[in-house]
Amino acid sequence: MSANRQKPVSFEFFPTKTEAGHEKLIATGKVLAAENPEFFSVTYGAGGSTREGTLKTVLQLDQEVQVPTAPHLSCVGDSKEDLRSLLTLYRESGIKRIVALRGDLPSGMGQASGELRYANELVEFIRAETGDHFHIEVAAYPEAHPQARHFEADLENFIRKAKSGADSAITQYFFTADCYFYFVDRVRKAGVDIPIVPGIMPITNYSKLARFSDACGAEIPRWIRKQLESYGDDSESISAFGTQVISELCQRLIDGGAPSLHFYTLNQAEPSLAVWRNLHGR
């Protein structure tokens, strides 16, 4: 496989609960920094539950590992004042990019709380507070958000969000390239021209992948499920098959015009690197 060497790449991390986990995350960031990523991103727990961890991780990756780092920022459960103080802190720390999300509802919270209820309102708020300081990423769901009433409603939500001031979008992960191309085609026809970057999930553990995918609405094609099931606990075979499948998916996305790739690393370097090196014949 070979791809344009200049095609940008970015990597996502999640803040850890222990100091040892945090040190491992930073070490992973240093390994991935060697690939000259466009940026790193760091997730934000439901209702801001990992706020301190996100902040610490973002600033350390940005300032010590020296890769531009984008915090996830969600509006569920946060007041405008909370959000305003975080935006000020990030701005003063030299952060230039934010991933703006509605966010997941904390367990037991039936309805969205906070002064802003939807991601498009958060994007508008960031723009009103900070002008063009931040490059704002939003989320896209080629297979529809799991809580969407139907695909058309979710498409309308994305279009509204994109037109509210977003600079680009990162998709939920998927395993069928056609769903990405169809989604991009539909939003282009609706007048949305921002870059839509495919989110890529390496395959390393079938049971975890199935659990993640069921929760977030990412469809695992039956042929992939059946092949992974056949390997049982043979992690080496799962990893080899996963690298091949995801490399082929990435190559097709790049050939079809995807602007870059965004890897969900789960705080591990090697699964994403194996795919990235495959694409570049290394």
Side-chain angles (χ1 to χ4, degrees), residues 7-20:
K7 192 66 70 172
V9 65
S10 53
F11 300 99
E12 179 179 290
F13 302 98
F14 62 87
T16 66
K17 294 178 180 176
T18 67
E19 194 57 39

Side-chain angles (χ1 to χ4, degrees), residues 2-251:
S2 64
N4 181 352
R5 284 184 177 274
Q6 303 306 306
K7 192 66 70 172
V9 65
S10 53
F11 300 99
E12 179 179 290
F13 302 98
F14 62 87
T16 66
K17 294 178 180 176
T18 67
E19 194 57 39
H22 178 76
E23 287 174 12
K24 184 182 172 191
L25 186 164
I26 298 302
T28 298
K30 288 176 180 175
V31 171
L32 293 173
E35 301 301 318
N36 297 313
E38 187 178 17
F39 66 96
F40 290 151
S41 69
V42 181
T43 64
Y44 192 67
S49 58
T50 64
R51 179 179 299 145
E52 295 307 315
T54 298
L55 182 61
K56 175 182 178 182
T57 304
V58 166
L59 297 183
Q60 197 166 353
L61 288 171
D62 189 86
Q63 295 167 7
E64 291 182 28
V65 182
Q66 297 190 320
V67 171
T69 302
H72 285 209
L73 190 64
S74 64
C75 55
V76 168
D78 272 351
S79 68
K80 286 183 179 178
E81 195 50 48
D82 289 336
L83 294 167
R84 190 175 288 119
S85 65
L86 269 176
L87 288 171
T88 300
L89 183 58
Y90 284 133
R91 189 174 184 174
E92 290 174 350
S93 300
I95 301 300
K96 296 288 182 65
R97 187 184 294 254
I98 279 180
V99 182
L101 309 163
R102 184 200 73 177
D104 297 325
L105 299 174
S107 179
M109 186 188 286
Q111 296 292 324
S113 70
E115 295 175 71
L116 305 174
R117 294 185 62 195
Y118 301 107
N120 65 291
E121 295 175 0
L122 177 58
V123 173
E124 289 165 2
F125 177 77
I126 295 170
R127 283 284 174 245
E129 292 290 320
T130 65
D132 291 332
H133 176 81
F134 292 107
H135 178 111
I136 301 178
E137 305 271 2
V138 292
Y141 296 86
E143 296 175 305
H145 191 283
Q147 295 171 350
R149 295 194 314 278
H150 49 70
F151 183 79
E152 294 300 323
D154 197 52
L155 202 63
E156 288 169 17
N157 286 338
F158 175 76
I159 292 163
R160 187 181 311 114
K161 187 164 55 176
K163 290 183 175 180
S164 65
D167 293 294
S168 53
I170 300 169
T171 76
Q172 176 60 273
Y173 70 86
F174 54 86
F175 298 107
T176 305
D178 284 343
C179 75
Y180 168 81
F181 294 129
Y182 179 73
F183 180 86
V184 172
D185 184 57
R186 288 293 305 275
V187 301
R188 294 290 180 251
K189 287 174 178 172
V192 171
D193 61 0
I194 64 172
I196 299 173
V197 177
I200 306 299
M201 177 67 83
I203 298 174
T204 58
N205 179 300
Y206 174 57
S207 59
K208 281 185 182 175
L209 182 70
R211 196 163 61 246
F212 270 154
S213 302
D214 289 344
C216 70
E219 185 70 27
I220 304 176
R222 189 170 184 272
W223 69 274
I224 294 180
R225 281 185 180 267
K226 290 297 179 187
Q227 187 64 63
L228 289 171
E229 286 169 2
S230 75
Y231 293 131
D233 295 327
D234 181 354
S235 59
E236 200 170 301
S237 294
I238 290 171
S239 181
F241 172 72
T243 298
Q244 178 190 353
V245 166
I246 300 304
S247 297
E248 289 171 358
L249 170 66
C250 290
Q251 189 65 60

